[in-house]
Amino acid sequence: MAKDINKKNFDSATKLKLDLFKESFKEWLPVFIHAPYVEKRFIYDFFAGSGLDPQGNYGSPLILMDEAKGEDLMYCSKSDGKKIVFGFNEKGKRKSKILEKNVNSFVDNCLNNCKREKCVYEHYVGNFDFKDAFNRPNVLDIMTNKKYSKFVLLDQYGFKEVDNEVFHKLINFPKTDFIFFISSSFINRFQNQPAIKRYIETEKIEFKKSQPKHCHKLISQYFKDQIPKNKEYYLHQFSIKKGTNYYGLIFGTSHTLGMEKFLKVCWSKDKMAGEANFDINNDFQSDTLFYDEMFSNKIEQFKTDLFFMVQNKAIKTNIEGLKYTLKYGLQTKTYLETVCDFIDKGEIFISKGKFNKKITNIHRLKENDIYEICIK
């Protein structure tokens, strides 16, 4: 039987995970609220739990609903009642009933404050095994609809639910961003067990050549390798250390703006690497002699790698460099800072087009915003 995390007060690692969910959704929602080409927005939480811990702290479903209101209920006022739909699923019957009660109580309290007779958002609570819920015909119809945007939360217990089949569906659903949780240390520890290999091809992951603290990053790379070479897609991970174990989140999006938003959240939590709640890259820490808040091992390695890519003409334009930066797990401002430094040092030059400092909403860059870079 799966462990029930809602029976105990949320620990610091769980609170961090929930905060990452919250901040990611907070970045996601306004983009699609204001998108005129999106007819409906669907938010799915397939492992919703009961919604509250014993202290009354919000679990993921209530966090999502609370954030969907917006500051001073500004998002509620932009909905006509059918544009945002929440789908919560909890396999455990008892927990599902508690969840439904907690969600209804949340809505009732919200209505008392906003003075509306009916919530402008729709919500549904299901009680299904994950695969049954995920593969329901009405859910698949929504997931494959190009006119709908979807935010999918998969806070699975362990690792086995988001397998290769589910992952490939997720990356091919249009206008769909997702976050899933995975128990990376468990996969590392039992990598040779048939029960693990049934879901994860661990022979493709080089655990033995890496430190345990990198196990979640390796699993993220495993999923990155599942993406077809000709498909533009973005994944980034955030590792969470709890005691001696490592867990983590993996975020996926087909859109550069989605990755810009998620990396903003990650770098607000980890200013050295944007990917962990611990020192994952052996950076000097703030209480040590050689600490420099401007120095990051990850960024230093990026500078070397970017120069190599430009030198070998694998990157020729700023848009290619910006996308490379996102896939590297860095905010696009790092690309600009690096290129400016290379130009100042006379190591590269702009060979075609006009240099500019545009680094956000890169999907909106026009033809005259594109410039080419070369090694001198």
Side-chain angles (χ1 to χ4, degrees):
M1 182 179 293
K3 181 175 66 173
D4 185 355
I5 64 169
N6 298 109
K7 282 186 176 181
K8 296 182 179 180
N9 298 337
F10 296 146
D11 58 32
S12 59
T14 300
K15 287 180 179 178
L16 173 60
K17 176 181 69 173
L18 292 172
D19 195 44
L20 286 162
F21 290 160
K22 171 185 174 180
E23 294 300 321
S24 300
F25 180 63
K26 189 175 183 178
E27 291 288 335
W28 179 91
L29 185 60
V31 173
F32 288 101
I33 281 278
H34 298 294
Y37 53 84
V38 174
E39 290 184 0
K40 290 187 180 182
R41 296 91 179 150
F42 289 84
I43 297 95
Y44 284 106
D45 186 347
F46 282 103
F47 302 85
S50 58
L52 295 168
D53 78 354
Q55 286 187 324
N57 294 308
Y58 285 175
S60 54
L62 298 191
I63 285 173
L64 294 171
M65 294 190 76
D66 194 45
E67 282 302 319
K69 295 185 298 184
E71 188 174 349
D72 296 326
L73 306 179
M74 64 178 179
Y75 295 147
C76 298
S77 64
K78 297 178 184 298
S79 174
D80 64 5
K82 288 192 174 181
K83 289 191 174 180
I84 296 182
V85 182
F86 291 92
F88 302 127
N89 181 66
E90 171 49 48
K91 180 181 177 180
K93 288 185 179 181
R94 178 178 171 277
K95 286 173 66 178
S96 181
K97 289 180 180 179
I98 296 173
L99 171 63
E100 188 163 18
K101 179 181 177 181
N102 286 334
V103 169
N104 289 336
S105 177
F106 176 91
V107 173
D108 289 342
N109 289 333
C110 193
L111 289 173
N112 287 333
N113 292 326
C114 75
K115 307 304 180 183
R116 288 185 173 90
E117 293 184 2
K118 183 180 179 180
C119 183
V120 296
Y121 302 149
E122 297 178 25
H123 70 269
Y124 302 92
V125 177
N127 173 222
F128 302 96
D129 178 80
F130 165 65
K131 291 290 178 64
D132 292 337
F134 187 73
N135 291 308
R136 285 171 66 84
N138 64 319
V139 172
L140 291 178
D141 286 344
I142 290 166
M143 291 292 195
T144 54
N145 193 319
K146 295 180 180 180
K147 296 180 180 179
Y148 300 161
S149 63
K150 287 81 62 176
F151 183 88
V152 180
L153 192 57
L154 298 154
D155 192 10
Q156 63 181 345
Y157 296 109
F159 62 91
K160 67 188 182 74
E161 302 292 1
V162 184
D163 55 19
N164 289 349
E165 180 184 358
V166 170
F167 178 75
H168 280 285
K169 285 183 178 180
L170 286 168
I171 66 173
N172 284 298
F173 289 145
K175 291 186 176 66
T176 301
D177 290 357
F178 66 85
I179 305 179
F180 70 86
F181 175 81
I182 193 163
S183 300
S184 307
S185 280
F186 191 87
I187 297 171
N188 183 15
R189 189 174 301 123
F190 301 104
Q191 59 187 273
N192 295 318
Q193 296 297 315
I196 302 290
K197 297 171 77 70
R198 177 182 174 187
Y199 303 102
I200 303 286
E201 298 171 275
T202 52
E203 66 275 9
K204 295 182 178 180
I205 306 174
E206 296 184 341
F207 288 119
K208 294 181 179 179
K209 294 183 180 180
S210 303
Q211 299 177 55
K213 68 178 182 178
H214 292 142
C215 64
H216 181 63
K217 191 171 186 176
L218 291 173
I219 290 171
S220 178
Q221 186 59 51
Y222 165 81
F223 282 105
K224 288 178 182 179
D225 292 340
Q226 306 296 313
I227 300 170
K229 298 298 182 184
N230 61 346
K231 184 178 183 64
E232 183 176 344
Y233 204 85
Y234 300 86
L235 285 187
H236 186 62
Q237 73 288 334
F238 196 93
S239 300
I240 299 174
K241 183 180 181 182
K242 180 180 177 182
T244 59
N245 292 319
Y246 298 92
Y247 308 87
L249 307 177
I250 295 176
F251 172 81
T253 181
S254 62
H255 205 290
T256 55
L257 183 58
M259 187 51 67
E260 285 182 47
K261 297 288 187 179
F262 186 68
L263 287 171
K264 175 185 174 183
V265 173
C266 292
W267 279 87
S268 72
K269 305 298 181 185
D270 174 14
K271 300 188 183 304
M272 286 296 181
E275 59 177 286
N277 71 334
F278 57 91
D279 182 13
I280 195 168
N281 289 328
N282 300 322
D283 290 301
F284 292 115
Q285 297 301 289
S286 57
D287 57 351
T288 60
L289 178 62
F290 297 103
Y291 171 70
D292 178 356
E293 64 178 357
M294 302 301 293
F295 183 89
S296 158
N297 280 314
K298 181 173 182 175
I299 292 176
E300 290 304 307
Q301 185 60 52
F302 167 77
K303 293 176 181 178
T304 299
D305 293 343
L306 180 64
F307 188 86
F308 177 82
M309 294 290 282
V310 175
Q311 185 178 46
N312 287 276
K313 299 183 178 180
I315 291 177
K316 299 178 182 178
T317 67
N318 58 322
I319 190 67
E320 291 173 350
L322 289 164
K323 289 181 178 181
Y324 175 75
T325 306
L326 292 177
K327 291 191 173 184
Y328 209 96
L330 293 168
Q331 293 179 283
T332 48
K333 66 179 182 179
T334 304
Y335 163 83
L336 179 61
E337 292 166 356
T338 303
V339 168
C340 286
D341 185 50
F342 286 159
I343 291 173
D344 289 344
K345 291 178 179 177
E347 295 174 338
I348 71 169
F349 71 102
I350 308 302
S351 59
K352 185 177 180 181
K354 186 177 180 181
F355 177 71
N356 62 74
K357 297 184 178 182
K358 296 180 180 180
I359 56 170
T360 60
N361 293 298
I362 64 173
H363 63 289
R364 293 180 179 172
L365 291 180
K366 296 180 173 57
E367 187 175 349
N368 60 359
D369 295 321
I370 308 300
Y371 59 83
E372 295 185 3
I373 49 180
C374 288
I375 300 296
K376 282 195 173 182

